[in-house]
Amino acid sequence: MTAGMVNAAEPLISLKEMVEKTITSNPEVQARYHKFLEAGYEQETVRGGFLPQADVVSTYRKQEELVRNTGNTQIPRMNNELVLRQMIFDGFATSSEVKRLGHASRVRYFELQSTMQTTTLEFMRAYLDTLRYRELMQFAKDNYVIHKQMFDRIQERVNAGVARKVDLEQASGRLALAEANLLTETTNMHDVTARLQRLYGELPPETLEVPTISSAGVEPSSEEALKVAYKQNPDLLSTIEDIQAKKNEIKTNESRYFPRLDLQARKNLGTSSDGRYSNSAADLLELTMNFNLFNGFSDKNSINTAAQKLNGAQDMRDKACIDTRQLVSIAYNDIKQLTEQRIYRAQHKTSIENAREAYRKQYDIGQRTLLDLLDAENEYFQAKRSLTNTEYDLQLAYARTYAGQGELLNKIGARRGNLPEYAREEYLDNESVCHAVAPVQIQIDKAALVADAKPLANIYPSMAKPITPVAVPTVVPAAAQTCNVQAITDRVNDWASAWRQKDADRYLRFYADKFSPEPPLDKSAWEKQRRQRLSSNGKIGLKIEDLQVSCEGDTGKATFKQVYTLTTFKIKKVADTSCEVCNMQRIPTIAYQDNTNKELQFQNESSDWKITRELVK
């Protein structure tokens, strides 16, 4: 009784609080945080090169006297000097190095953000799995209890001689399966608790808040989700900052081609008696210049080394684009698929639950066998498990999408204190070469599958009654012949998507068999031309504007403004320096563009809308 009151009074720890504790105390996150602080102190260390340097220099010398000390002009044996040095010009080495370390500090900052996003995603996976396996373990307990009660009931009937012994064997086997399922779920519960403990730092509380991160929703398309990710993904931003750091490293090495100027002042603090009036004891102010003329080509090679580091940083940026696209595209597609799948799983569970209750009643009056009853119980157990797994997989898909966009912590509402807020610099957009082009989500036309399927008589001939073949003319359903504005609109958008993705086979399947291109090309030459254009190097940009769709019977027409661009990338030197490779960049160039008013005419062919004419107005 007392324990129950204590548990009831225990305050609920919110998901936000647990996440903030994780990203504050997790050792991996802490290690990244200290790397970030280290980079900041390193920058301040180099910034000290702008300030004067003060030293006290004490000397004692013993020198052979070749001439008499006339007028105390000899160098004193003992001397104390205050030396002040100020760098006037060092070929911009210090300023370039300060900028390099500033970008390096921002690299560490975004690496810290990436680690926090990754750790939070891993925590969310363990958190959701904890909720998942608590439910599944309860399902397994209920399943075991039901099978145990059924086994005891059948055992009583067998002992009374009113049931067959084989029924008891069946019930015993299903009871053993229920016990195995219970053991599996308890093992999973133990393992996921250990995972959460590793991330959170302590055992999870008995009561966990049900997450609601999916209520924030996602962008309407995978391309829009990718655009958000390309602006905020910390892994991608860290590679762009690294590019800036490597550019400044090149400038630091180039400073060795310039002279160095220093201002130096010396103040004597005292001399020995035999050098009191020596010229060497006088105060001194001097300006020195050091200009290296030859250094064994070391300076040139150091610049070439930094240039290769820059090339490597750009390659890592390209890899970050690819990795981000894969992560976000898959997670976004999982959201769409699991959202629809959850409907079917819920429907399956409800139907099996109703059938299970009916089977129980029919078994009591002898209309169902024990095997029917046991099968219904097992299918109901699996249906509940499948629905629960789908619901938690959907929550995890949202978390994965947000993590890929760098938004997971914001969606949860958690943050770590003592971190700066950096303004978004222009080069973060200028250096990004990522293109928001995601794989097309696969949509299955289930009506077409059924229409194209073989009759059951061909699959199960023993179940079909022999019939006399009768020639039946093929009739296309009226609904399939009637033009639909939304269907034509979807076909235009899919056609444009295939063109952007340079998928020639998919693109050409949009055209009807009877399609005839505008003269002077015939269909064969036109198809060859289209394949060549779709295989050319560069990125295709295609916008459909002012789309107007009209229908008339079994034909449709779409008119729109088509904005087409072909972007290629060239290697250009963006600065005139002595280094040939240090400032090379890949520059996007519009190789071709045009704006065209176009008309596509559609007609239904094989239960699909195909382009019969394509006119440029």
Side-chain angles (χ1 to χ4, degrees):
M1 183 72 173
T2 305
M5 295 177 60
V6 172
N7 289 336
E10 181 182 347
L12 175 66
I13 302 177
S14 67
L15 173 62
K16 172 180 175 292
E17 293 172 330
M18 295 182 69
V19 170
E20 288 181 343
K21 180 180 183 300
T22 300
I23 63 175
T24 303
S25 60
N26 182 270
E28 186 176 355
V29 178
Q30 284 295 90
R32 288 291 183 183
Y33 175 67
H34 291 123
K35 284 286 186 183
F36 167 63
L37 296 180
E38 173 190 330
Y41 287 123
E42 188 175 1
Q43 183 188 22
E44 292 304 314
T45 300
V46 175
R47 198 189 301 275
F50 290 123
L51 302 178
Q53 179 181 346
D55 298 283
V56 173
V57 181
S58 298
T59 59
Y60 175 79
R61 68 172 63 218
K62 179 65 175 177
Q63 184 174 350
E64 180 182 5
E65 295 183 359
L66 301 179
V67 296
R68 295 184 63 184
N69 182 12
T70 305
N72 275 343
T73 58
Q74 290 183 346
I75 298 175
R77 293 180 181 176
M78 294 182 61
N79 194 26
N80 295 311
E81 288 183 308
L82 176 63
V83 181
L84 300 178
R85 298 182 182 88
Q86 174 63 59
M87 181 272 295
I88 304 299
F89 178 71
D90 63 352
F92 308 106
T94 302
S95 59
S96 297
E97 189 67 2
V98 168
K99 291 178 182 178
R100 181 187 75 83
L101 292 173
H103 289 295
S105 177
R106 291 172 69 112
V107 170
R108 299 294 174 261
Y109 172 80
F110 287 120
E111 287 177 348
L112 170 61
Q113 293 289 346
S114 174
T115 302
M116 289 196 297
Q117 293 287 338
T118 303
T119 303
T120 303
L121 176 59
E122 193 176 353
F123 171 84
M124 285 300 301
R125 193 187 303 273
Y127 187 92
L128 292 170
D129 283 348
T130 301
L131 292 172
R132 180 203 309 261
Y133 288 121
R134 284 181 179 180
E135 285 193 36
L136 296 183
M137 188 169 65
Q138 186 60 48
F139 293 161
K141 289 178 180 179
D142 296 341
N143 186 56
Y144 166 75
V145 170
I146 292 174
H147 279 79
K148 184 65 170 69
Q149 291 174 344
M150 292 179 64
F151 174 81
D152 293 342
R153 181 178 177 184
I154 294 170
Q155 190 175 40
E156 291 176 359
R157 298 178 65 179
V158 169
N159 293 336
V162 296
R164 297 171 300 178
K165 191 173 181 179
V166 67
D167 291 342
L168 185 62
E169 292 294 336
Q170 288 180 339
S172 176
R174 296 304 178 91
L175 177 60
L177 178 60
E179 291 176 324
N181 289 334
L182 179 58
L183 181 60
T184 298
E185 301 303 351
T186 55
T187 302
N188 290 336
M189 188 68 241
H190 171 273
D191 294 348
V192 74
T193 301
R195 282 168 46 205
L196 189 58
Q197 183 186 23
R198 178 181 68 84
L199 296 163
Y200 183 53
E202 56 186 79
L203 291 173
E206 290 298 323
T207 304
L208 294 177
E209 176 188 2
V210 177
T212 58
I213 58 174
S214 60
S215 61
V218 292
E219 287 67 29
S221 67
S222 54
E223 286 79 8
E224 293 298 323
L226 275 177
K227 290 179 181 178
V228 174
Y230 287 154
K231 285 186 173 294
Q232 301 177 168
N233 182 274
D235 289 323
L236 177 59
L237 296 180
S238 69
T239 61
I240 296 177
E241 290 290 351
D242 193 39
I243 290 175
Q244 304 306 308
K246 296 301 185 290
K247 289 180 178 179
N248 282 282
E249 182 177 355
I250 293 173
K251 293 180 180 179
T252 300
N253 294 336
E254 285 180 335
S255 67
R256 300 171 186 173
Y257 290 142
F258 293 91
R260 178 186 175 96
L261 297 177
D262 292 280
L263 182 64
Q264 181 172 275
R266 292 176 177 271
K267 171 67 176 178
N268 272 275
L269 303 179
T271 61
S272 60
S273 59
D274 59 353
R276 184 172 302 160
Y277 304 109
S278 169
N279 292 333
S280 300
D283 295 339
L284 177 67
L285 180 65
E286 62 181 356
L287 179 66
T288 63
M289 182 189 76
N290 182 40
F291 196 174
N292 174 256
L293 299 179
F294 181 70
N295 195 21
F297 303 108
S298 297
D299 297 337
K300 178 181 178 181
N301 289 325
S302 67
I303 293 175
N304 291 337
T305 300
Q308 293 308 312
K309 291 181 181 179
L310 174 60
N311 291 335
Q314 291 173 335
D315 293 334
M316 294 305 297
R317 175 211 43 205
D318 296 345
K319 180 180 183 299
C321 287
I322 296 172
D323 292 344
T324 301
R325 180 179 61 202
Q326 173 181 310
L327 174 64
V328 175
S329 297
I330 293 177
Y332 187 91
N333 183 69
D334 287 347
I335 290 176
K336 298 301 181 182
Q337 300 300 330
L338 289 168
T339 300
E340 183 178 359
Q341 191 179 119
R342 181 174 56 178
I343 300 174
Y344 304 136
R345 296 290 188 189
Q347 181 181 350
H348 177 226
K349 172 182 172 292
T350 302
S351 299
I352 295 303
E353 186 176 12
N354 294 335
R356 166 176 166 263
E357 293 300 323
Y359 276 29
R360 282 186 176 182
K361 296 176 181 178
Q362 293 171 358
Y363 175 76
D364 291 337
I365 61 177
Q367 292 183 351
R368 288 289 175 182
T369 66
L370 173 66
L371 185 60
D372 293 334
L373 196 59
L374 294 175
D375 284 343
E377 287 293 343
N378 188 62
E379 189 169 358
Y380 179 61
F381 170 65
Q382 296 298 337
K384 291 194 297 182
R385 293 185 78 257
S386 298
L387 177 58
T388 297
N389 283 326
T390 300
E391 290 174 340
Y392 284 108
D393 286 344
L394 177 59
Q395 290 276 357
L396 183 58
Y398 276 101
R400 287 160 46 212
T401 302
Y402 296 148
Q405 294 176 326
E407 279 283 290
L408 182 55
L409 285 171
N410 292 337
K411 297 294 185 181
I412 297 174
R415 66 186 302 271
R416 174 176 178 141
N418 300 325
L419 288 180
E421 291 290 338
Y422 289 120
R424 185 175 182 85
E425 301 294 343
E426 185 177 354
Y427 59 77
L428 291 175
D429 295 320
N430 295 338
E431 288 289 350
S432 179
V433 295
C434 308
H435 302 296
V437 179
V440 177
Q441 292 181 317
I442 300 176
Q443 301 291 335
I444 302 298
D445 188 345
K446 288 174 278 190
L449 285 179
V450 175
D452 295 339
K454 295 180 180 180
L456 286 177
N458 294 340
I459 303 176
Y460 304 110
S462 61
M463 297 176 60
K465 296 181 180 180
I467 58 175
T468 304
V470 178
V472 180
T474 303
V475 178
V476 179
Q481 293 179 348
T482 304
C483 175
N484 180 275
V485 172
Q486 185 59 48
I488 299 298
T489 302
D490 292 342
R491 291 295 285 174
V492 172
N493 291 328
D494 292 343
W495 167 81
S497 176
W499 194 351
R500 292 190 201 98
Q501 297 175 20
K502 304 168 74 172
D503 188 343
D505 293 334
R506 178 165 162 258
Y507 172 82
L508 293 174
R509 284 198 295 270
F510 282 91
Y511 292 86
D513 294 337
K514 62 180 182 180
F515 171 76
S516 178
E518 294 186 77
L521 297 177
D522 58 15
K523 187 173 182 180
S524 176
W526 170 85
E527 181 175 337
K528 181 179 179 181
Q529 181 195 71
R530 289 301 170 96
R531 286 187 179 277
Q532 289 176 345
R533 290 181 178 178
L534 290 176
S535 63
S536 60
N537 293 327
K539 174 183 177 295
I540 290 178
L542 183 66
K543 292 183 180 180
I544 302 297
E545 299 178 350
D546 301 329
L547 176 60
Q548 302 291 330
V549 176
S550 60
C551 288
E552 184 176 351
D554 63 345
T555 62
K557 181 174 68 174
T559 59
F560 52 88
K561 179 181 179 181
Q562 174 182 293
V563 181
Y564 175 89
T565 59
L566 178 64
T567 304
T568 58
F569 295 88
K570 297 181 179 179
I571 303 297
K572 289 187 178 180
K573 186 176 181 181
V574 296
D576 187 13
T577 65
S578 57
C579 173
E580 291 296 328
V581 298
C582 56
N583 282 296
M584 303 301 288
Q585 289 186 1
R586 283 174 285 188
I587 306 298
T589 304
I590 302 298
Y592 178 77
Q593 63 179 354
D594 70 359
N595 298 335
T596 305
N597 292 321
K598 184 169 285 190
E599 176 182 313
L600 297 180
Q601 297 179 8
F602 290 85
Q603 190 168 8
N604 190 277
E605 181 180 288
S606 301
S607 301
D608 204 356
W609 293 98
K610 299 292 184 73
I611 300 172
T612 57
R613 294 203 67 188
E614 180 176 357
L615 303 175
V616 176
K617 296 187 176 182

